[in-house]
Amino acid sequence: MPSTPAVSGVLETLAFFRDPDFAQSRFERYGDVYETSLLGQRTVFIRGERAINDLFNQADAMEGWWPESVKKLLGSLSLANRNGAGHKARRRVVGQLFTSAALNRYSPTIVILVEALNRDLINTHSPVALVPKLRRFAFSVIANTVLGLDQADCNALFIDFETWCEGLFSIPIAIPGSPYAKAFQARKRLMGRIRSVLEKAETTSMGGLDLLAGGLDEAGIPLTDEDLAEQLLLLLFAGYETTASSLSCLVLSLLQNPTDLNWLLEELVNLAWPPIEGNEAIEYDAQRAPRLDAVIKEVMRLTPPVGGFFRITKEAIALAGVLVPPNRVVQVSIAASQRSGTDSTDLNKFRPQRHLEKETKVTLLPFGGGERVCLGKSLAELEIRLLTVGLLKNIHLSLLPNQNLTLKLIPSPSPEDELLVEASPLI
């Protein structure tokens, strides 16, 4: 298996955090499967359909893996840090929050939050920094629909949650004042608030928490509040950070490609806003809004909210014909895989129409894959569809000049200058 040169693992780790082309440049140099050292751990990076399918087909030979720094911030009980029966049992319990019935329950609230965002944009003097608005919107959705929090409680949680997210994928140096150290302090406060929410939910119906009532772990014992609190902390992150990133990248992509924006608007003319009561969850699905679906897929392809995911091998496995030894971390490079193919020039372009062409074959794994695919995938997709239609049918947005639109990638892609726009109501 190709390996990077004998470079210090410290230098490789620093490059991993700082270089947006870290994986891509090495794939071009060493091929679709190569090995390096990150955070003191031998790590194999893979891309491409063949290697990824081989990985999924040998799931029993691997476990989920995160760096120790991330594990500590997520918590030892977190679904992300569990494997085997404990992981599967908790997925079944937490998955109850994202069934079709649950999405139907959440949808009217999401529509209300879209309308509130529209009013906020109209009433904010230009220029509007859109990224912070979208981040607050995404957090309000997950905190309101799942935890049942009102806006005041959402605001109280939001600042600590931002601090926690910033430290989650920072360089793990726990010296006072570092992002990582601040994240630990924020986590303590967040867990305290979540425990309070769970206590209140025992006597009051709040969001989707009643859907978790009676959840059993693998031994048939009801999950403790501490266990549930760590699952909810993970869900807040998964349902907020990645969705906010996707919303920001979607708006940016459309504003940078006005021809594609007009192509989408032609379809939206025939879609009502607000959606028909009771139909909110399906009103803008792929069947009714194929162009919208294609735009969302293309944004997720070019700028996936998570650049990759990790596994660790328990035994030797073969990936794309390359033998990977036991105790190797495998990083599946989503971003690189979704741009990989015979026509790299075309695959690096924003062209949503490709997803409506029968002959098109691209790798799409924006929510991960296999038995650990993102639980909140359906809620994220619903939220993105509702926000896109509600925003574009009511607000005219234009990019302000002379801003840095380069995407910072940690923890998720987002424009450096927070996407400065002029916003005005459509007449």
Side-chain angles (χ1 to χ4, degrees), residues 225-248:
D225 279 357
E226 190 68 17
D227 200 324
L228 282 177
E230 291 204 353
Q231 310 319 326
L232 292 174
L233 180 65
L234 174 65
L235 288 180
L236 283 171
F237 170 71
Y240 151 66
E241 176 64 42
T242 54
T243 306
S245 169
S246 296
L247 292 171
S248 299

Side-chain angles (χ1 to χ4, degrees), residues 1 53 99-100 162 206 220 237 295 314 321 390:
M1 169 174 30
N53 284 341
T99 63
S100 296
E162 287 272 79
M206 299 180 66
F237 170 71
V295 166
K314 297 188 293 183

Side-chain angles (χ1 to χ4, degrees), residues 272-300:
W273 179 268
I276 297 170
E277 187 175 350
N279 269 15
E280 297 95 342
I282 61 172
E283 194 77 5
Y284 313 125
D285 62 14
Q287 182 178 350
R288 295 167 178 79
R291 292 187 182 185
L292 173 62
D293 184 65
V295 166
I296 293 171
K297 285 179 177 175
E298 186 70 346
V299 171
M300 293 283 199

Side-chain angles (χ1 to χ4, degrees), residues 268 271-273 284 292 385-394:
L268 299 191
L271 300 175
W273 179 268
Y284 313 125
L292 173 62
R385 292 197 302 268
L386 289 171
L387 185 280
T388 303
V389 177
L391 184 67
L392 295 182
K393 284 186 71 72
N394 290 280

Side-chain angles (χ1 to χ4, degrees), residues 338-400:
Q338 294 184 164
R339 292 175 180 244
S340 177
T342 54
D343 190 347
S344 59
T345 300
D346 178 61
L347 288 171
N348 281 311
K349 292 179 181 177
F350 181 80
R351 192 171 68 82
Q353 295 80 7
R354 76 175 76 248
H355 301 285
L356 301 178
E357 299 167 356
K358 292 182 179 179
E359 66 274 15
T360 293
K361 186 178 181 182
V362 294
T363 298
L364 283 177
L365 288 169
F367 295 98
E371 63 181 16
R372 303 181 80 98
V373 66
C374 176
L375 270 171
K377 175 179 180 290
S378 55
L379 177 60
E381 291 175 332
L382 172 61
E383 182 180 342
I384 292 168
R385 292 197 302 268
L386 289 171
L387 185 280
T388 303
V389 177
L391 184 67
L392 295 182
K393 284 186 71 72
N394 290 280
I395 305 291
H396 178 267
L397 299 172
S398 57
L399 283 173
L400 267 66

Side-chain angles (χ1 to χ4, degrees), residues 50-188:
R50 182 185 174 193
I52 293 172
N53 284 341
D54 286 346
L55 183 92
F56 291 154
N57 290 333
Q58 299 172 85
D60 291 342
M62 288 168 291
E63 293 182 338
W65 183 89
W66 290 100
E68 282 300 318
S69 57
V70 176
K71 284 184 182 180
K72 289 178 181 178
L73 284 176
L74 290 174
S76 61
L77 302 176
S78 175
L79 185 65
N81 289 329
R82 286 182 176 269
N83 290 289
H87 175 260
K88 292 178 181 178
R90 279 155 182 78
R91 275 190 70 93
R92 286 195 298 271
V93 173
V94 178
Q96 296 173 96
L97 293 169
F98 305 107
T99 63
S100 296
L103 296 183
N104 287 333
R105 179 196 291 194
Y106 304 152
S107 297
T109 297
I110 300 175
V111 171
I112 291 170
L113 291 171
V114 171
E115 295 279 24
L117 174 62
N118 286 343
R119 290 193 297 272
D120 184 25
L121 291 175
I122 290 171
N123 293 327
T124 302
H125 296 297
S126 293
V128 178
L130 196 56
V131 168
K133 302 281 188 185
L134 293 174
R135 291 181 73 82
R136 281 192 175 269
F137 167 79
F139 186 76
S140 294
V141 169
I142 190 71
N144 191 298
T145 59
V146 174
L147 296 185
L149 302 181
D150 59 25
Q151 198 55 49
D153 286 334
C154 284
N155 291 338
L157 274 174
F158 183 73
I159 294 175
D160 275 338
F161 208 81
E162 287 272 79
T163 302
W164 182 77
C165 287
E166 287 174 7
L168 201 57
F169 296 103
S170 65
I171 296 175
I173 301 175
I175 59 175
S178 69
Y180 189 63
K182 289 179 180 178
F184 263 110
Q185 295 303 313
R187 185 187 188 277
K188 291 179 183 178

